Coordinates of all heavy atoms in Angstrom, one line a residue:
V271 N 219.8 6.6 170.1 CA 220.5 7.1 171.3 C 219.6 6.8 172.5 O 220.1 6.3 173.5 CB 220.8 8.6 171.1 CG1 221.1 9.3 172.5 CG2 221.9 8.9 170.1
R272 N 218.3 7.2 172.4 CA 217.4 7.0 173.5 C 217.3 5.5 173.9 O 217.4 5.2 175.1 CB 216.0 7.5 173.1 CG 215.0 7.6 174.1 CD 213.6 7.9 173.6 NE 213.2 6.8 172.7 CZ 212.6 6.9 171.5 NH1 212.2 8.1 171.1 NH2 212.3 5.9 170.8
D273 N 217.1 4.6 172.9 CA 216.9 3.2 173.3 C 218.2 2.6 173.8 O 218.2 1.8 174.7 CB 216.4 2.4 172.1 CG 215.0 2.8 171.7 OD1 214.4 3.6 172.4 OD2 214.5 2.4 170.6
G274 N 219.4 3.0 173.2 CA 220.7 2.5 173.6 C 220.9 2.9 175.0 O 221.4 2.0 175.8
R275 N 220.6 4.1 175.4 CA 220.9 4.6 176.7 C 220.0 3.8 177.7 O 220.4 3.4 178.8 CB 220.6 6.1 176.8 CG 221.0 6.7 178.1 CD 220.6 8.2 178.1 NE 221.4 8.9 177.1 CZ 221.1 10.1 176.6 NH1 220.0 10.7 177.0 NH2 221.9 10.7 175.7
A276 N 218.7 3.7 177.4 CA 217.8 3.0 178.3 C 218.2 1.5 178.4 O 218.2 1.0 179.6 CB 216.3 3.1 177.7
N277 N 218.6 0.9 177.3 CA 219.0 -0.5 177.4 C 220.2 -0.7 178.3 O 220.3 -1.6 179.2 CB 219.4 -1.1 176.0 CG 218.2 -1.3 175.1 OD1 217.0 -1.1 175.6 ND2 218.4 -1.6 173.9
H278 N 221.2 0.2 178.1 CA 222.4 0.2 178.9 C 222.1 0.3 180.4 O 222.6 -0.4 181.2 CB 223.4 1.3 178.4 CG 224.6 1.4 179.3 ND1 224.6 2.2 180.4 CD2 225.8 0.9 179.1 CE1 225.8 2.1 181.0 NE2 226.6 1.3 180.2
D279 N 221.3 1.3 180.7 CA 221.0 1.6 182.1 C 220.2 0.5 182.8 O 220.4 0.2 184.0 CB 220.3 3.0 182.3 CG 221.2 4.1 181.8 OD1 222.4 3.9 181.6 OD2 220.8 5.3 181.7
Y280 N 219.4 -0.1 182.0 CA 218.6 -1.2 182.5 C 219.5 -2.4 182.9 O 219.4 -3.0 184.0 CB 217.6 -1.7 181.4 CG 216.6 -2.8 181.8 CD1 215.5 -2.6 182.5 CD2 216.9 -4.1 181.3 CE1 214.7 -3.6 182.9 CE2 216.1 -5.2 181.6 CZ 214.9 -4.9 182.4 OH 214.1 -6.0 182.7
V281 N 220.4 -2.8 182.0 CA 221.3 -3.9 182.3 C 222.3 -3.5 183.4 O 222.6 -4.3 184.3 CB 222.1 -4.3 181.0 CG1 223.1 -5.3 181.3 CG2 221.1 -4.9 180.0
A282 N 222.8 -2.2 183.3 CA 223.8 -1.8 184.3 C 223.2 -1.9 185.7 O 223.9 -2.4 186.7 CB 224.2 -0.3 184.1
A283 N 221.9 -1.6 185.9 CA 221.3 -1.6 187.3 C 221.3 -3.1 187.7 O 221.6 -3.3 188.9 CB 219.9 -1.1 187.2
Q284 N 221.0 -4.0 186.8 CA 221.0 -5.4 187.3 C 222.4 -5.9 187.6 O 222.6 -6.6 188.6 CB 220.5 -6.3 186.1 CG 219.0 -6.0 185.9 CD 218.3 -7.1 185.0 OE1 218.5 -8.3 185.3 NE2 217.5 -6.7 184.1
L285 N 223.4 -5.5 186.8 CA 224.8 -6.0 187.0 C 225.3 -5.4 188.3 O 226.0 -6.1 189.1 CB 225.7 -5.6 185.9 CG 225.4 -6.2 184.5 CD1 226.5 -5.9 183.5 CD2 225.0 -7.7 184.5
N286 N 225.0 -4.1 188.6 CA 225.5 -3.4 189.8 C 224.9 -4.0 191.1 O 225.5 -3.8 192.2 CB 225.3 -1.9 189.7 CG 226.3 -1.2 188.9 OD1 227.5 -1.7 188.8 ND2 226.0 -0.1 188.3
A287 N 223.9 -4.8 191.0 CA 223.3 -5.5 192.2 C 224.2 -6.6 192.6 O 224.0 -7.2 193.7 CB 221.9 -5.9 191.9
S288 N 225.1 -7.1 191.7 CA 226.0 -8.2 192.1 C 227.2 -7.7 192.7 O 227.8 -6.7 192.3 CB 226.4 -8.9 190.8 OG 227.5 -9.7 191.0
P289 N 227.7 -8.4 193.8 CA 229.0 -8.0 194.4 C 230.2 -8.2 193.5 O 231.3 -7.7 193.7 CB 229.1 -8.8 195.6 CG 228.2 -10.0 195.4 CD 227.1 -9.6 194.4
W290 N 230.0 -9.0 192.4 CA 231.1 -9.4 191.5 C 231.3 -8.5 190.3 O 232.2 -8.7 189.6 CB 231.0 -10.9 191.1 CG 230.5 -11.8 192.2 CD1 229.4 -12.5 192.3 CD2 231.3 -12.0 193.4 NE1 229.4 -13.2 193.5 CE2 230.5 -12.9 194.2 CE3 232.5 -11.6 193.9 CZ2 230.9 -13.4 195.4 CZ3 232.9 -12.1 195.2 CH2 232.2 -12.9 195.9
L291 N 230.2 -7.8 189.9 CA 230.2 -7.0 188.7 C 230.0 -5.5 189.0 O 229.2 -5.2 189.8 CB 229.1 -7.5 187.8 CG 229.1 -9.0 187.5 CD1 227.9 -9.4 186.6 CD2 230.4 -9.5 186.8
S292 N 230.7 -4.7 188.3 CA 230.5 -3.2 188.6 C 230.6 -2.4 187.3 O 231.6 -2.5 186.5 CB 231.7 -2.8 189.5 OG 231.7 -1.4 189.6
V293 N 229.6 -1.7 187.0 CA 229.5 -0.7 185.9 C 229.9 0.6 186.4 O 229.2 1.2 187.1 CB 228.1 -0.7 185.2 CG1 228.1 0.2 184.0 CG2 227.7 -2.1 184.8
P294 N 231.1 1.2 186.0 CA 231.5 2.5 186.6 C 230.5 3.6 186.1 O 230.1 3.5 185.0 CB 232.9 2.7 186.0 CG 233.4 1.4 185.5 CD 232.1 0.6 185.1
P295 N 230.2 4.5 187.0 CA 229.3 5.6 186.6 C 230.0 6.5 185.6 O 231.2 6.7 185.7 CB 228.9 6.3 187.9 CG 230.1 6.0 188.8 CD 230.6 4.6 188.4
A296 N 229.2 7.2 184.8 CA 229.7 8.3 183.9 C 230.1 9.5 184.8 O 229.6 9.6 185.9 CB 228.7 8.7 182.9
L297 N 230.9 10.4 184.3 CA 231.2 11.6 185.0 C 229.9 12.4 184.9 O 229.1 12.3 183.9 CB 232.3 12.4 184.4 CG 233.7 11.6 184.5 CD1 234.8 12.4 183.7 CD2 234.1 11.4 185.9
P298 N 229.6 13.3 186.0 CA 228.3 13.9 186.0 C 227.9 14.7 184.7 O 226.7 14.7 184.3 CB 228.4 14.9 187.2 CG 229.4 14.2 188.1 CD 230.4 13.5 187.2
P299 N 228.8 15.4 184.0 CA 228.3 16.2 182.8 C 227.9 15.3 181.6 O 227.4 15.9 180.7 CB 229.5 17.1 182.5 CG 230.4 17.0 183.7 CD 230.2 15.7 184.3
E300 N 228.2 14.0 181.7 CA 228.0 13.2 180.5 C 226.6 12.6 180.4 O 226.1 12.0 181.4 CB 229.1 12.1 180.5 CG 228.9 11.2 179.3 CD 229.8 9.9 179.3 OE1 230.7 9.8 180.2 OE2 229.7 9.1 178.5
E301 N 226.0 12.7 179.2 CA 224.8 11.9 178.9 C 225.2 10.9 177.8 O 225.5 11.4 176.7 CB 223.7 12.8 178.4 CG 222.9 13.5 179.5 CD 221.8 12.7 180.1 OE1 221.7 11.5 179.8 OE2 221.1 13.2 181.0
R302 N 225.1 9.6 178.1 CA 225.7 8.7 177.2 C 224.8 8.3 176.0 O 223.6 8.5 176.1 CB 226.1 7.4 178.0 CG 227.1 7.7 179.1 CD 227.9 6.5 179.5 NE 228.5 6.0 178.3 CZ 228.7 4.6 178.1 NH1 228.3 3.8 179.0 NH2 229.2 4.2 177.0
A303 N 225.4 7.7 175.0 CA 224.7 7.1 173.9 C 225.3 5.7 173.5 O 225.8 5.5 172.5 CB 224.8 8.0 172.6
P304 N 225.2 4.8 174.5 CA 225.9 3.5 174.3 C 225.3 2.5 173.4 O 224.0 2.5 173.3 CB 226.0 3.0 175.8 CG 224.9 3.7 176.5 CD 224.4 4.9 175.7
D305 N 226.1 1.7 172.8 CA 225.5 0.5 172.0 C 226.2 -0.7 172.5 O 226.3 -1.7 171.8 CB 225.6 0.7 170.5 CG 227.0 0.9 170.1 OD1 228.0 0.8 170.9 OD2 227.2 1.2 168.9
S306 N 226.9 -0.6 173.7 CA 227.5 -1.8 174.3 C 227.6 -1.4 175.8 O 227.4 -0.3 176.2 CB 228.9 -2.0 173.7 OG 229.7 -0.9 173.9
I307 N 228.0 -2.4 176.6 CA 228.2 -2.2 178.0 C 229.5 -2.7 178.4 O 230.0 -3.8 178.0 CB 227.0 -2.8 178.8 CG1 227.1 -2.3 180.3 CG2 227.0 -4.3 178.8 CD1 225.8 -2.5 181.1
Q308 N 230.2 -1.9 179.3 CA 231.5 -2.4 179.9 C 231.3 -2.4 181.4 O 230.6 -1.6 182.0 CB 232.6 -1.4 179.5 CG 233.0 -1.4 178.1 CD 232.0 -0.8 177.2 OE1 231.4 0.2 177.4 NE2 231.6 -1.5 176.1
F309 N 231.9 -3.5 182.0 CA 231.8 -3.6 183.4 C 233.1 -4.3 183.9 O 233.8 -5.0 183.2 CB 230.6 -4.4 183.9 CG 230.5 -5.8 183.2 CD1 231.0 -6.9 183.8 CD2 229.9 -5.9 182.0 CE1 230.8 -8.1 183.3 CE2 229.8 -7.2 181.4 CZ 230.3 -8.3 182.0
N310 N 233.4 -4.1 185.2 CA 234.6 -4.7 185.8 C 234.3 -5.9 186.6 O 233.3 -5.9 187.3 CB 235.4 -3.6 186.6 CG 235.9 -2.5 185.8 OD1 236.3 -2.7 184.6 ND2 235.9 -1.3 186.3
L311 N 235.1 -6.9 186.6 CA 235.0 -8.0 187.5 C 235.6 -7.6 188.8 O 236.8 -7.2 188.8 CB 235.8 -9.2 186.9 CG 235.2 -9.7 185.5 CD1 236.1 -10.8 185.0 CD2 233.8 -10.2 185.6
M312 N 234.9 -7.8 189.9 CA 235.3 -7.4 191.2 C 235.7 -8.6 192.0 O 235.0 -9.6 192.1 CB 234.2 -6.6 191.9 CG 233.6 -5.5 191.1 SD 234.8 -4.2 190.7 CE 235.0 -3.4 192.3
G313 N 236.9 -8.5 192.6 CA 237.3 -9.6 193.5 C 237.7 -10.9 192.7 O 237.8 -12.0 193.3
F314 N 237.9 -10.8 191.4 CA 238.4 -11.9 190.6 C 240.0 -11.8 190.8 O 240.6 -11.0 190.1 CB 238.0 -11.8 189.2 CG 236.6 -12.3 189.0 CD1 235.5 -11.6 189.5 CD2 236.3 -13.4 188.2 CE1 234.2 -12.0 189.4 CE2 235.0 -13.8 187.9 CZ 234.0 -13.1 188.5
V315 N 240.5 -12.7 191.6 CA 241.9 -12.6 192.0 C 242.9 -13.0 190.9 O 244.1 -12.6 191.0 CB 242.2 -13.3 193.4 CG1 241.5 -12.6 194.5 CG2 241.8 -14.7 193.3
S316 N 242.5 -13.9 190.0 CA 243.4 -14.4 189.0 C 242.8 -14.2 187.6 O 241.6 -14.1 187.4 CB 243.7 -15.8 189.3 OG 242.6 -16.6 189.0
D317 N 243.7 -14.2 186.6 CA 243.3 -14.2 185.2 C 242.5 -15.4 184.9 O 241.6 -15.4 184.1 CB 244.5 -14.1 184.3 CG 245.2 -12.7 184.5 OD1 244.7 -11.8 185.2 OD2 246.3 -12.6 183.9
A318 N 242.9 -16.5 185.6 CA 242.1 -17.8 185.3 C 240.7 -17.7 185.7 O 239.8 -18.1 185.0 CB 242.8 -18.9 186.1
E319 N 240.4 -17.0 186.8 CA 239.1 -16.8 187.3 C 238.3 -15.9 186.3 O 237.1 -16.2 186.0 CB 239.1 -16.1 188.7 CG 238.8 -17.0 189.8 CD 238.7 -16.2 191.1 OE1 238.2 -15.1 191.2 OE2 239.2 -16.8 192.1
A320 N 239.0 -14.9 185.8 CA 238.3 -13.9 184.9 C 238.0 -14.7 183.6 O 236.9 -14.5 183.0 CB 239.2 -12.7 184.6
R321 N 238.9 -15.5 183.1 CA 238.7 -16.3 181.9 C 237.5 -17.3 182.1 O 236.7 -17.5 181.3 CB 240.0 -17.2 181.6 CG 241.0 -16.4 180.8 CD 241.9 -17.3 180.0 NE 242.9 -16.5 179.4 CZ 244.1 -16.1 179.9 NH1 244.4 -16.5 181.2 NH2 244.9 -15.3 179.3
A322 N 237.5 -17.9 183.3 CA 236.4 -18.9 183.6 C 235.1 -18.1 183.6 O 234.1 -18.7 183.1 CB 236.6 -19.5 185.0
F323 N 235.0 -16.9 184.0 CA 233.8 -16.1 183.9 C 233.3 -16.0 182.5 O 232.2 -16.2 182.1 CB 233.9 -14.7 184.6 CG 232.8 -13.8 184.2 CD1 231.6 -13.9 184.9 CD2 233.0 -12.8 183.3 CE1 230.6 -13.0 184.6 CE2 232.0 -11.9 182.9 CZ 230.7 -12.0 183.6
A324 N 234.3 -15.6 181.6 CA 233.9 -15.4 180.2 C 233.5 -16.7 179.6 O 232.5 -16.7 178.8 CB 235.2 -14.9 179.4
E325 N 234.1 -17.8 180.0 CA 233.7 -19.1 179.5 C 232.3 -19.5 180.0 O 231.4 -20.0 179.2 CB 234.7 -20.2 179.9 CG 235.9 -20.2 179.0 CD 237.1 -20.9 179.6 OE1 236.9 -21.8 180.5 OE2 238.2 -20.6 179.2
A326 N 232.0 -19.2 181.3 CA 230.7 -19.5 181.8 C 229.6 -18.7 181.2 O 228.5 -19.2 180.9 CB 230.7 -19.2 183.4
A327 N 229.9 -17.4 180.9 CA 228.9 -16.5 180.2 C 228.7 -17.1 178.7 O 227.6 -17.1 178.3 CB 229.4 -15.1 180.1
A328 N 229.8 -17.5 178.1 CA 229.6 -18.1 176.7 C 228.8 -19.3 176.7 O 227.9 -19.5 175.9 CB 231.0 -18.4 176.1
A329 N 229.0 -20.1 177.8 CA 228.2 -21.4 177.9 C 226.7 -21.0 178.1 O 225.8 -21.8 177.7 CB 228.7 -22.2 179.1
R330 N 226.4 -19.8 178.6 CA 225.0 -19.4 178.8 C 224.6 -18.5 177.7 O 223.5 -17.9 177.8 CB 225.0 -18.6 180.2 CG 225.1 -19.5 181.4 CD 225.2 -18.7 182.7 NE 225.3 -19.6 183.8 CZ 224.3 -20.2 184.4 NH1 223.1 -20.1 183.9 NH2 224.5 -21.0 185.4
G331 N 225.3 -18.5 176.6 CA 224.9 -17.8 175.4 C 225.3 -16.4 175.2 O 224.9 -15.7 174.2
V332 N 226.1 -15.8 176.1 CA 226.5 -14.4 175.9 C 228.0 -14.3 175.8 O 228.8 -14.8 176.7 CB 226.0 -13.6 177.1 CG1 226.6 -12.1 177.1 CG2 224.5 -13.6 177.2

Side-chain angles (χ1 to χ4, degrees):
V271 167
R272 186 190 64 220
D273 292 353
R275 187 180 296 160
N277 288 354
H278 174 276
D279 293 351
Y280 180 81
V281 173
Q284 293 194 45
L285 301 190
N286 277 332
S288 161
W290 315 117
L291 307 177
S292 167
V293 181
L297 298 176
E300 180 187 353
E301 279 278 2
R302 303 204 50 214
D305 60 7
S306 63
I307 190 164
Q308 289 71 46
F309 56 93
N310 295 326
L311 299 175
M312 308 299 285
F314 281 62
V315 292
S316 67
D317 293 352
E319 259 184 37
R321 277 202 183 89
F323 167 78
E325 280 160 24
R330 291 173 177 280
V332 174

